[in-house]
Amino acid sequence: MIKAIAIDDEPLALQIIEALCERISYVNLRKTFTSQAEAQRYINKFEVDLLFLDIQMPRQNGIDLYKSLKQETKVIFTTAYSEFAVEGFNVSASNYILKPIAFERFEQAVAKVKKELELEQNSTKVNSHLTIRADYKLHNIPLDEIIMIEAMDDYVKIIRANKATLVARSTMKGILNKLPKPAFTRIHKSFIVNNSKVEAIQAGSVEIAGKQLPIGNTYKEQITANFS
């Protein structure tokens, strides 16, 4: 079951989304919000798989609101303005729906999110791949291909062996939860490493792929446990 909420400054738009969700058996629309602040408090407190999020809102547009979230949550943007489509996909939106919303298009967008969530859950279970959205695509990355992951504000940089680096919207905590333990270790607030790729550990640093990465004081105990 997909746990969803909807955010829109127009109550009628929320009623429409609620009615559409009732027609899809695997979506549980738990709450609707006209207040962005209330929605953010809810997201900070409860697990949310999917946001239906209006772009054009008075205090803060939906894209900026989504960028401000620390949790990794799927989003389907809703708007009456097609010119926002490119910007929506630039923040790795799962989909983009134009108002007025047709049920067929709505169902298609939600089905795509369902497939993405299932792929991510399955990849975590088998512990062989990391599934994550980057560059407008859903990537299924073999874990042994990943060298390390570096934090970049609201994004992460996935550095791979002999392949292009990927940049994805995620928190470090969010992506670490998708990786099998203890195969990957967070050594610093800005770095997660693939243990099998580590070349040496020195006082205060880890050597990997020819680079020296700092060890954060908070993570020293975990490093000792994983590499001893």
Side-chain angles (χ1 to χ4, degrees):
M1 184 68 73
I2 296 174
K3 297 180 285 293
I5 67 169
I7 309 170
D8 199 303
D9 61 308
E10 298 180 4
L12 179 59
L14 293 173
Q15 290 173 23
I16 291 170
I17 290 174
E18 194 167 4
L20 292 168
C21 286
E22 286 176 357
R23 297 175 63 180
I24 301 177
S25 61
Y26 53 83
V27 175
N28 178 5
L29 185 65
R30 297 194 162 186
K31 295 277 286 184
T32 61
F33 299 91
T34 55
S35 165
Q36 297 172 16
E38 288 181 12
Q40 284 182 302
R41 284 194 291 270
Y42 182 90
I43 294 167
N44 290 337
K45 189 174 181 181
F46 300 102
E47 183 180 352
V48 176
D49 300 319
L50 172 62
L51 302 177
F52 296 104
L53 182 55
D54 184 34
I55 291 180
Q56 284 290 90
M57 289 188 287
R59 298 187 63 182
Q60 181 184 36
N61 75 49
I63 291 172
D64 289 338
L65 172 62
Y66 184 62
K67 286 179 179 178
S68 72
L69 299 179
K70 299 303 181 186
Q71 296 84 344
E72 188 174 347
T73 305
K74 305 294 182 186
V75 63
I76 295 175
F77 285 117
T78 61
T79 183
Y81 304 95
S82 60
E83 60 265 29
F84 288 110
V86 173
E87 191 176 355
F89 284 114
N90 280 343
V91 293
S92 299
S94 291
N95 227 308
Y96 179 100
I97 304 176
L98 282 175
K99 298 176 181 179
I101 302 172
F103 176 70
E104 292 76 12
R105 178 72 183 93
F106 185 84
E107 186 179 35
Q108 180 188 51
V110 174
K112 184 168 178 279
V113 170
K114 181 174 182 284
K115 184 176 181 181
E116 289 178 357
L117 290 170
E118 287 172 347
L119 278 171
E120 291 174 6
Q121 290 165 3
N122 289 338
S123 69
T124 301
K125 287 176 185 176
V126 299
N127 288 341
S128 62
H129 289 74
L130 169 69
T131 302
I132 195 162
R133 177 173 287 278
D135 302 329
Y136 318 113
K137 294 184 289 187
L138 196 64
H139 295 263
N140 203 29
I141 308 167
L143 294 178
D144 60 5
E145 185 178 284
I146 300 171
I147 296 173
M148 64 182 185
I149 297 167
E150 182 178 354
M152 295 174 56
D153 295 323
D154 297 328
Y155 293 80
V156 295
K157 186 162 61 174
I158 302 170
I159 299 165
R160 304 181 292 170
N162 304 316
K163 288 203 174 180
T165 295
L166 292 176
V167 176
R169 188 180 188 280
S170 175
T171 62
M172 292 291 272
K173 181 179 178 181
I175 202 163
L176 188 62
N177 287 339
K178 293 182 176 184
L179 296 168
K181 301 176 182 62
F184 288 80
T185 303
R186 188 167 186 178
I187 64 166
H188 187 273
K189 65 179 182 179
S190 298
F191 297 105
I192 296 169
V193 298
N194 184 337
N195 296 356
S196 67
K197 308 293 185 183
V198 171
E199 296 159 9
I201 300 176
Q202 303 171 13
S205 69
V206 167
E207 185 177 339
I208 186 168
K211 296 182 179 181
Q212 295 288 336
L213 304 182
I215 295 174
N217 290 331
T218 307
Y219 306 98
K220 285 182 177 179
E221 185 175 337
Q222 188 62 54
I223 292 167
T224 301
N226 286 5
F227 289 98
S228 59

